Amino acid sequence: MLFNDRIMDRENVVDIEDRGYQFGDGIYEVIGVYDGKPLMLDEHMERLERSAKEIKLNMGLIDDLKTKLEELVSANNLEEGIIYMQVSRGAAARWHEFPKADTPTVTVAYTRAENRTNNVEDQGATAVLTEDIRWLRCDIKTLNLLPNVMAKQEAVEHGAIEAILHRGEIVTEASASNVFIVKDGTLYTHPADNYILNGITRRKIIQLCEALNLKVNEQTYTVDELLDADEVFISATKLDVVPILKVDDHTIGNGEPGEITKQIVQEFRSLY
Ligand code: PDD
């Protein structure tokens, strides 16, 4: 694992007064690794930097971190899987306000091998709907994931891959992925504002659609529009693009992965 600037054996290194541990006071990234190479690492590092800025967390040089993560992937001989990394505001006596400015942040990262065992991207999966009860800064990739955890658990208990979240009538995203719908050949996805995390996969899909001459509207849509869509898919790191064939009891389209979704699955695969 990476602990600050050292690659070392994984052991119990977290201080019980680490603010990430006690308050969820920190930020994180999950980066996909394919063929021994992190995919879209620069984009993940840029988002991390933005998250840090938004929570006023002062972290070291990103360039150095990027190199360290690459070193970690090769030290662990990781061919396919993910890098998990987080930066917390450090370890200090437990008071809610920020610790003294000289308290060093704590950066940790490790890798996990993950080979595809099922072809969920080709076969599709189901999802459930649940109210989005998160705070109003979902654009920051913070360690505070309890509402996401609760939502995902609800999905799993219903044999579904994801919980699609809605604030009232408006669909925002899913517990750990973004959501796209397709209607009459046009794609719709929630705009990248404070209600969603602007996924690196989401952004790449929007770029790929431009090249494929597919129109993407970054605008909100309702739960009814989701259920009435021709196609629905979710996107996230390592999950890539997964067709959603059923939401609660509603079958989407004809209940098969749609043509546009299949095209995007193929295009995304060609990136690695
Ligand atoms: N989650 N929205 C939420 C709430 C997420 O947690 C994620 C990713 C995404 C997709 O972002 P990206 O395409 O950059 O992975 C959208 C990661 C994978 C996780 O928490 O495990």
Side-chain angles (χ1 to χ4, degrees), residues 4 17-27 51-59 86-93 95-108 135 140 142-144:
N4 292 329
E17 284 194 313
D18 188 294
R19 294 181 62 92
Y21 182 55
Q22 292 190 325
F23 295 108
D25 185 3
I27 52 178
S51 295
K53 198 166 137 257
E54 294 298 321
I55 69 159
K56 300 184 176 143
L57 183 137
N58 211 344
M59 48 179 295
Q86 70 171 52
V87 186
S88 85
R89 208 182 301 273
W95 298 105
H96 286 62
E97 67 270 29
F98 293 176
K100 284 207 297 280
D102 61 356
T103 307
T105 57
V106 176
T107 302
V108 294
W135 73 331
I140 309 172
T142 83
L143 299 175
N144 292 276

Side-chain angles (χ1 to χ4, degrees), residues 240-269:
D240 298 352
V241 179
V242 175
I244 296 298
L245 311 180
K246 218 172 150 195
V247 177
D248 290 339
D249 291 333
H250 304 262
T251 300
I252 303 298
N254 61 5
E256 301 279 328
E259 288 310 313
I260 290 181
T261 306
K262 284 201 274 192
Q263 218 179 330
I264 295 168
V265 168
Q266 285 315 325
E267 283 297 310
F268 201 88
R269 275 186 186 148

Side-chain angles (χ1 to χ4, degrees), residues 28 30 44 47 134 141 148 173-178 197 199-202 235-237:
Y28 79 106
V30 180
H44 283 280
R47 185 170 63 187
R134 299 173 300 162
K141 206 161 171 59
N148 309 61
E173 58 178 335
S175 76
S177 55
N178 292 113
L197 181 78
I200 304 297
T201 322
R202 173 190 181 278
S235 70
T237 294

Side-chain angles (χ1 to χ4, degrees), residues 35-74:
D35 260 337
K37 283 190 227 55
L39 188 68
M40 300 186 279
L41 185 56
D42 286 337
E43 288 86 341
H44 283 280
M45 292 297 100
E46 271 165 36
R47 185 170 63 187
L48 182 75
E49 215 166 348
R50 177 184 182 275
S51 295
K53 198 166 137 257
E54 294 298 321
I55 69 159
K56 300 184 176 143
L57 183 137
N58 211 344
M59 48 179 295
L61 278 176
I62 292 278
D63 254 4
D64 192 34
L65 180 58
K66 203 180 126 185
T67 313
K68 283 279 178 318
L69 293 176
E70 283 164 341
E71 273 174 41
L72 180 69
V73 168
S74 56

